[in-house]
């Protein structure tokens, strides 16, 4: 049951697809109050209450015990007390002895989520706008609440199948040659690869939709050559449009009046990579159409995937911000060198970036009305993604394109995936990546992953390997790193063969994982789930913070600590441990429900499979297109006949019907079962 | 066996107390090379090698897999890739299939420890000075290497017994009234307390050895009143001396020529809390004498404990640093607003603090020779501590005083304890605090602890409680927090009774913990040890990163994750779990060697005791002086008669002889054994 409550004059967000009547009865579960414009929801928490949700945010799967702020922010150096990340996903799920409901705040402005931070026993949620639609969802289970929420907000984005391949990326591939060399090195060493991301280096002076003719002389030919080698180019597109007369996107945007404006009617400008930029007002349909069509030449050149970046929007600085900082500098310089003032001066310059003042200084058109950007800030990236996706659909409505974005808002999950934003080569960010995944799924973002190895700072060999071992299971499996950091391609490291074998396992699992993903997406389910979803009666399972359920039958539990020789795993039921070293080299170990310490060398990682549920491995190949999704090795710990479904399609169909693509298959207990481990079947099947 | 190797012309550091001949044979274990002044040690690492040591540094107990730099730095926002903290402890212990030795670099300058960071299989240690004594220690066990190293560097500092009491601290106690109120609130609510730290607020304009007469009118009377209530005041002393004529310490220091100087012979100055400061040249004996005597008026006023701070030394900025930053600002302002330059400008101002240029710009006298501060930088805090300790000894050679320092170097462990520097209210800093403890012990710093609750940022109730549960076992148990953060005294929180009971457990354990500490200190042993030390044949034990051995018979394993309902513990042998809620309320659970998941509610925390080893609990009191260390409840999981020793002394004797203070006691299996758990004895004993 979904109930809608409305407060004030909500701004449209495109998040919800169901049209529901507004409840007249008082809001249950929360104490409601107002303070100025603010709407404040308060709820006493039971000591055993857990809170899931908030998609991309710091801390655990259970969000209790901290204060989060919905305010999309570019912040690569995030740590456990960072209140805002790149995205805002305003959905919470309360789960406890007296609570089982979902809460969605359809509000694109600032929201504060004090989930037992100020007081351990109280949640206080504050909307700054105060104008919003609020949805309460009650069902019999966590899983059903999540499904209802997806029906409310619409089906998750479907990427093409090749987007489940391994993707290599780095800020710094500054020429066609460097990209070709990276590709060739992967092919030469047998490291599977499906795509290479182009970061801002490929653009002419970082201008969107441009192409450095010196370094990338012929995009068409380059793209064709790569495709012949089963590789896709995946260029970046940033939010800001360089304010340079003669640059076509600027001229057409200016002529159309498509940019965000200041109160005086002039275009808002801020410096980003290309220098002074204007920012498309993506809230307007005609702006999205104009922007979406800008992708067309790249699509025509054969590009089938993009990543949208800098769309919080990140702002390096504005003229007025610079003036203000220098004014402060003058003030301090002429005064005495007091240390507090000197410190504030450092802040004055570093706070020029993503300055709240700047976000308050421009306007967007919402339903023909000028609305301060601050009130719709968290929609910006989502609306850019929508513009792109609408453009792709106009270009080819039958086909799926790859699209993933840094900034997002619920609703964007229908149009693209997300990566988890710029991160660091930190072990803590590896764990955070895992912990964000189920909450992103809950908010609709099934196609997701983190920058494997870490974007900023220098990775170590063991950290990259452990990141890859998580990445084997994330729909987006991208190795990405920043200019100036240690080169992070697998082949740079002495233990590259171990990492290659890890990626090869991904390819051996790809048809199975793709099937699990598509089944989840097409049934409004979750690909990754907290253990609480399937084992809600088991308090031990509900508290697990470093393991995830995957699809219908699997659980992952990656090693996420340096120098560890293994890890503890809690099995909520009997499961088969498959400990991988390569597609050919793995152990099968049936394990009983309960606690286990399991040794894992650096090259080993586990997948757990529920009893009487089959796992399918195919022969790995150098690219996803070459995979044979008919012949498999089936692994199953079974004590009865089992049957299951494999989802297969052409990898591109934009509107597949689930039932039309399922192939039913059975494993018979009495059949040919030549596994070497008693009770564990392992045999070839052809579907 | 300790072997000494000498390279170039080593600078004296006061770290080593044994005089050893210099080896003429080539250095074993390492490949030795030179690059300019640098001395470079290289060693191939076995995949199973572990490396302990480096005292205060980030990451795990096992230091492998990162690059650390010896360069004392004020850096409260440290995280896993912070290369330097407040102290430099240049001792490493290699432990693996082909390694069992200690390496000490007696070198006060920059050292880089690449311990498998650049290459997983290689350690590369680089001394920038290149002039150093190097000690290799080989013994039959990790424990014996640690003991030999302590004999090389001298007996650990002994704090007075009252310093094992609970200490409340906060930057912001700005008056005698506020301190009295905090004390009274503890007494009123029965939260045990032995001391209150005074942060910089108590000083007149932050000037060392001064006292704000408005807010603290009569120190003598105040100190006496507190003492009557069994409370000690523990004032802070900073390294810098305010450069203000008429301020006695400055005038006498100036007259004596006691400050560090620039190349032109003028005093080096930098801004710290009081504004422009000079920095005592602590390397010189006469300077230490002068500085040590400055404590005298406070000692005469009844103060028995101090904390030495800002002694890396932290530098906010120098005049030349400010000029340079403004020069850059002018340069950027007059040019085009390029984003990279704008960013560098922010850096220019924030990098004014603790700027390497500044540390290169002044000199210290070493053996009558002017030596660039950079070459002896890491000694600065240690030498300040030495000055203080020498002053205390002159004041009263018979008595122990409390002294703990932020910055340190090996050698300082004979003169004072350390706290782990300014930290944050982060769960990751709770875990880091635990992981630093055994390595600090290895380097001689037995009296140590972290700022419980975290110094910077806002603590949550559960985080403070979990910090306190670690603090129950750390010799220094101080709750400390920064101005502007949430008030962090126990009584501020709704669950203060839980926290009070946690502190009460500390007091019930205090005679036992004090005994374990003194036995370790007086036998050149370790109070906290990695599990590898006692269970070196057990690879599982050697890899444990979140449990510590304590004293002769105990192990701690605190809960360090938010929202967790328990944790995994690995028992390297059969142990008794004592799960505390209060001194009266605890469970005793005999557990077998192996893996256990143990539930702990927020108010519960464990102490594990080896089989046939007794734990002694006394009746808790509001202060350490009131504790009866004759009457105990003995707890013991026993299957034979057991006997043990309790160390007791007057708590002040500056040179106690271990054997003279041990009381032998026995527990008989056949005796009165009214414990309710089979096999676990629990009965009163009087010693």
């Amino acid at each position: 049951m979904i109930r809608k409550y409305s407060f004030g004059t909500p701004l449209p967000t495109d998040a919800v697809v169901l049209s529901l009547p507004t409840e007249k009865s008082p809001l249950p579960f929360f104490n409601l109050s107002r303070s100025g414009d603010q709407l404040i929801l308060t709820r006493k928490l039971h000591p055993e209450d857990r809170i899931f949700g908030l998609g991309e945010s710091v801390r655990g799967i259970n969000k209790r015990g901290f204060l989060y702020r919905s305010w999309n922010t570019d912040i690569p150096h995030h740590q456990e007390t960072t209140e805002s990340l790149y995205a805002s996903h305003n959905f919470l799920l309360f789960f406890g002895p007296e609570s089982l409901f979902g809460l969605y705040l359809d509000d694109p402005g600032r929201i504060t989520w004090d989930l037992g931070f100020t007081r351990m026993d109280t949640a206080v949620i504050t909307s700054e706008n105060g104008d919003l639609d609020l949805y309460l969802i009650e069902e019999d289970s966590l899983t059903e609440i999540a499904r209802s929420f997806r029906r409310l907000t619409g089906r998750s984005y479907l990427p093409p199948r090749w987007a489940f391949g391994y993707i290599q990326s780095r800020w710094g591939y500054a020429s066609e040659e460097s990209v070709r060399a990276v590709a060739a090195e992967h092919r030469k060493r047998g490291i599977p690869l499906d795509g290479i991301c182009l970061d801002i280096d490929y653009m002419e002076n970082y201008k969107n939709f441009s192409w450095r003719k010196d370094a990338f002389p012929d995009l068409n030919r380059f793209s064709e050559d790569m495709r012949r080698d089963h590789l896709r180019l995946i260029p970046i597109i940033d939010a800001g449009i360089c304010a340079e007369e003669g640059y076509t996107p600027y001229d057409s945007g200016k002529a159309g009046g498509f940019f965000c404006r200041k109160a005086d009617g002039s275009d808002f400008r801020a410096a980003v990579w290309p220098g002074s930029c204007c920012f498309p007002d993506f809230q307007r349909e005609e702006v999205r159409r104009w922007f979406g069509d800008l992708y067309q030449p790249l699509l025509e050149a054969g590009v089938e995937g993009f990543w949208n970046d800098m769309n919080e929007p990140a702002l390096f600085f504005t003229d007025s911000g610079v003036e203000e900082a220098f004014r402060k500098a003058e003030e301090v310089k002429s005064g005495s060198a007091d240390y507090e003032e000197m410190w504030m001066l450092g802040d004055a310059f570093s706070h020029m970036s993503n300055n709240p003042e700047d976000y308050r200084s421009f306007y967007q058109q919402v339903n023909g009305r000028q609305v301060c950007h601050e009130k719709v800030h968290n929609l910006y990236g989502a609306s850019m993604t929508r513009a792109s996706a609408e453009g792709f659909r106009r270009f080819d409505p039958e086909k799926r394109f790859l699209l993933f974005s840094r900034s997002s808002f619920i609703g964007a999950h229908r149009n693209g995936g997300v990566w988890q934003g710029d991160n660091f080569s930190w072990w803590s960010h590896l764990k955070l990546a895992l912990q964000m995944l189920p909450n992103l799924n809950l908010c609709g973002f099934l196609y997701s992953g983190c920058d494997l190895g870490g974007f900023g700072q220098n990775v170590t060999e063991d950290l990259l390997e452990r990141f890859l071992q998580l990445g084997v299971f994330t729909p987006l499996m991208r190795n990405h790193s920043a200019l100036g950091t240690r080169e992070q391609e697998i082949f740079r490291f002495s233990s590259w063969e171990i990492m290659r074998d890890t990626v090869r396992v991904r390819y051996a699992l790809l048809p199975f994982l793709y099937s699990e993903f598509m089944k989840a997406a097409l049934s409004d389910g979750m690909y990754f789930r907290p253990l609480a979803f399937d084992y809600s009666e088991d308090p031990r399972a509900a508290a697990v913070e470093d393991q995830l359920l995957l699809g219908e039958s699997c659980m992952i539990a990656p090693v996420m600590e340096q120098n560890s020789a293994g890890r503890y795993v809690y099995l909520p039921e009997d499961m088969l441990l498959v400990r991988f070293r390569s597609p050919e080299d793995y152990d099968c170990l049936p394990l009983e429900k309960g606690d286990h310490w399991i040794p894992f060398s650096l090259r080993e990682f586990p997948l757990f499979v529920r009893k009487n549920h089959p796992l399918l491995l195919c022969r790995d190949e150098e690219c996803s297109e070459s995979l044979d999704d008919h012949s498999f090795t089936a692994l199953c710990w079974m004590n009865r006949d089992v049957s299951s479904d494999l989802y297969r399609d052409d990898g591109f169909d934009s509107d597949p019907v689930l039932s039309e693509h399922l192939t039913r298959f059975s494993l018979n207990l009495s059949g040919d079962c030549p596994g070497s481990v008693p009770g564990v079947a392992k045999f070839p099947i052809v579907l």
Side-chain angles (χ1 to χ4, degrees), chain A:
Chain A
M1 180 184 59
I2 308 176
R3 282 180 287 177
K4 174 182 178 180
Y5 299 82
S6 213
F7 301 94
T9 313
L11 293 159
T13 67
D14 186 49
V16 162
V17 296
L18 287 187
S19 178
L20 298 174
T22 302
E23 296 284 332
K24 302 293 173 225
S25 57
L27 181 74
F29 303 137
F30 293 93
N31 194 321
L32 202 70
S33 63
R34 285 240 176 225
S35 169
D37 286 344
Q38 292 179 341
L39 183 82
I40 304 166
L41 303 169
T42 306
R43 177 173 173 81
K44 266 270 177 286
L45 297 172
H46 185 281
E48 286 166 40
D49 276 350
R50 296 177 189 283
I51 308 176
F52 301 114
L54 294 187
E56 187 175 297
S57 51
V58 299
R59 300 221 167 193
I61 300 173
N62 178 2
K63 310 314 291 181
R64 192 163 171 177
F66 189 57
L67 182 149
Y68 310 83
R69 291 182 203 276
S70 290
W71 186 258
N72 296 352
T73 304
D74 174 14
I75 186 162
H77 53 285
H78 51 276
Q79 29 70 19
E80 63 181 275
T81 48
T82 299
E83 295 169 335
S84 304
L85 294 182
Y86 305 86
S88 295
H89 301 137
N90 301 332
F91 182 53
L92 283 187
L93 217 158
F94 289 80
F95 171 55
E98 296 152 12
S99 301
L100 181 62
F101 66 91
L103 170 74
Y104 176 58
L105 267 53
D106 193 6
D107 175 352
R110 278 185 202 273
I111 304 176
T112 306
W113 311 82
D114 180 343
L115 305 180
F117 173 76
T118 301
R119 282 187 61 99
M120 280 185 70
D121 63 355
T122 310
V124 182
I125 300 163
T126 306
S127 157
E128 295 294 328
N129 283 349
D131 294 309
L132 67 151
D133 288 330
L134 180 159
Y135 297 84
L136 279 180
I137 309 180
E138 286 181 274
E139 307 291 352
D140 290 341
S141 69
L142 293 168
T143 301
E144 285 310 311
I145 294 173
R147 200 179 302 280
S148 274
F149 180 60
R150 192 78 52 75
R151 289 191 179 133
L152 176 68
T153 54
R155 192 183 80 184
S156 284
Y157 160 75
L158 302 178
R161 183 171 177 271
W162 66 264
F164 288 77
Y166 181 59
I167 297 171
Q168 179 57 50
S169 181
R170 182 172 170 88
W171 171 16
Y173 293 155
S175 68
E176 190 180 307
E177 282 64 45
S178 67
V179 176
R180 285 182 190 269
V182 165
E185 202 62 35
H186 281 78
R187 287 288 179 256
K188 189 180 113 193
R189 302 191 189 217
I191 306 166
L193 189 69
D194 263 73
I196 297 188
C197 284
L198 301 177
D199 207 318
I200 53 172
D201 321 277
Y202 82 90
M203 296 189 235
E204 183 71 39
N205 190 31
Y206 309 137
K207 288 185 286 192
N208 278 332
F209 310 109
S210 75
W211 204 264
R212 279 178 57 201
K213 295 293 179 293
D214 59 334
F216 297 85
D218 185 342
L219 170 62
N220 272 300
R221 188 185 41 76
F222 183 31
S223 177
E224 272 168 34
D225 286 355
M226 297 295 278
R227 281 292 298 115
R228 207 168 302 123
D229 198 14
H230 304 283
L231 292 169
R232 262 92 176 177
L233 294 177
I234 308 160
I236 193 173
I237 300 293
D238 284 343
I241 295 289
C242 180
E244 181 185 285
E245 283 180 30
Y247 163 53
T248 312
Y250 174 71
D251 292 341
S252 59
K254 179 85 188 162
F258 293 156
F259 299 126
C260 297
R261 294 182 191 175
K262 295 198 284 188
D264 65 7
S266 65
D267 288 342
F268 169 75
R269 291 191 181 197
V272 210
W273 295 116
S276 185
C277 283
C278 289
F279 295 83
D281 186 357
F282 291 115
Q283 288 311 105
R284 295 159 57 194
E285 196 193 337
E286 65 273 29
V287 176
R288 287 197 302 276
R289 172 169 282 273
W290 158 76
F291 192 83
D293 286 344
L294 294 175
Y295 288 81
Q296 196 137 338
L298 288 163
L299 294 168
E300 280 163 0
V303 173
E304 296 172 68
F306 296 89
W307 46 309
N308 285 346
D309 200 357
M310 302 291 287
N311 50 0
E312 291 73 24
L315 307 177
F316 292 165
F317 49 82
T318 58
D319 287 348
S320 60
V322 170
E323 273 168 34
E324 177 63 15
F326 277 111
R327 197 192 56 70
K328 279 188 191 154
E330 282 304 316
E331 204 177 285
V332 171
K333 197 181 175 185
S334 58
S336 65
D338 177 76
Y339 57 84
E340 283 189 61
E341 284 177 1
M342 291 302 300
W343 280 342
M344 281 162 56
L345 191 49
D347 289 348
F349 283 97
S350 47
H351 290 182
M352 287 188 320
S353 294
N354 308 319
N355 189 336
E357 286 296 329
D358 291 329
Y359 293 117
R360 264 194 289 275
S361 74
F362 67 97
Y363 292 80
Q364 296 195 249
Q365 255 188 53
V366 181
N367 288 349
R369 193 161 61 91
Q370 293 291 102
V371 172
C372 180
H373 168 79
E374 183 179 49
K375 287 189 170 290
V376 289
H377 172 74
N378 295 332
L379 274 182
Y380 197 82
S383 300
M384 180 189 178
T385 294
R386 186 179 173 191
S388 315
E390 289 169 351
F392 303 163
R393 265 177 232 133
R394 282 193 301 276
F395 181 77
D396 186 346
E398 306 295 318
K399 184 170 167 175
R400 290 182 235 152
F401 291 85
L402 173 59
L403 177 62
F404 55 98
S405 172
R406 191 167 76 181
S407 185
S408 63
F409 190 79
I410 287 172
H413 70 281
R414 299 192 303 272
N415 294 314
V418 292
W419 88 98
Q420 294 174 347
D422 299 353
N423 62 356
F424 273 1
S425 295
W426 284 354
W427 292 86
S428 59
H429 276 185
L430 169 56
K431 186 166 182 191
L432 177 60
L434 176 126
Q435 292 176 317
M436 281 201 256
L437 286 165
N439 286 319
L440 281 168
N441 272 253
L442 188 55
C443 295
F445 295 91
L446 267 55
Y447 188 78
S448 179
C450 68
D451 286 348
L452 300 174
F455 176 67
Q457 304 203 340
N458 295 317
V459 79
T460 56
E461 215 157 333
D462 52 349
L463 179 57
L464 177 56
E465 169 62 13
R466 294 303 191 194
F467 257 112
L468 289 170
Q469 291 174 358
L470 170 64
V472 163
F473 303 105
T474 58
L476 169 62
M477 185 187 192
R478 178 171 77 141
N479 178 342
H480 185 43
S481 57
L483 190 70
T485 64
R486 179 188 289 192
E487 289 180 306
Q488 199 169 288
E489 297 83 6
I490 284 175
F491 59 78
R492 308 283 182 190
F493 297 91
S494 63
S495 58
W496 67 271
E497 285 164 303
I498 292 179
M499 301 186 198
R500 175 201 61 195
D501 286 348
T502 301
V503 180
R504 288 180 56 227
V505 172
R506 160 65 162 228
Y507 278 72
L509 286 169
L510 200 150
F512 177 81
L513 296 175
Y514 178 68
S515 168
E516 293 299 305
F517 180 94
M518 293 299 285
K519 284 192 274 186
L522 294 175
S523 65
D524 292 332
M526 290 162 72
Y527 174 80
F528 283 125
R529 299 182 301 291
L531 271 61
F533 275 57
D534 292 32
Y535 308 94
S536 58
E537 300 296 310
D538 178 351
R540 281 295 310 285
V544 168
E545 283 282 347
D546 56 359
Q547 307 170 201
L548 299 180
L549 299 175
L550 183 164
E552 290 174 351
S553 57
C554 295
M555 185 176 80
I556 64 167
V559 173
M560 297 181 289
E561 293 197 353
Q562 193 168 30
N563 295 322
S564 57
R567 58 160 290 173
Y568 288 105
V569 178
Y570 176 72
L571 297 191
E573 61 174 286
D574 292 355
M575 287 185 173
L576 175 66
L577 161 63
V578 186
R579 183 168 38 200
F580 284 108
R581 287 173 291 274
S582 78
E584 304 84 29
D585 184 14
Y586 53 84
D587 313 311
C588 288
L589 215 71
L591 294 173
E592 285 184 4
K593 172 183 162 132
D595 295 299
H596 300 269
W597 189 89
I598 304 171
F600 297 104
S601 70
L602 181 57
R603 68 178 311 167
E604 292 177 324
F605 60 98
L607 180 62
F608 297 88
V609 191
R610 291 165 63 194
K611 205 169 178 175
N612 294 315
H613 286 75
L615 180 69
L616 298 184
L617 290 171
C618 71
R619 205 179 69 188
D620 64 291
E621 299 286 351
E622 66 173 21
C623 63
S624 64
E625 284 169 337
S626 303
L627 292 170
D628 169 8
D629 64 355
H630 295 276
S631 304
F632 295 96
T633 298
L635 294 175
C636 192
W637 180 18
M638 53 198 284
N639 57 8
R640 57 169 170 80
D641 293 349
V642 305
S643 55
S644 186
D645 297 298
L646 185 72
Y647 176 97
R648 286 179 295 194
D649 64 14
D650 67 1
F652 288 105
D653 178 359
S654 63
D655 197 18
V657 176
L658 178 59
S659 59
E660 292 172 7
H661 294 283
L662 294 177
T663 304
R664 190 96 185 143
F665 65 96
S666 298
L667 306 179
N668 290 332
L669 192 60
S670 53
D672 183 24
C673 207
S676 59
V677 181
V680 180
K682 175 183 175 180
F683 51 85
I685 61 170
V686 177
L687 304 182

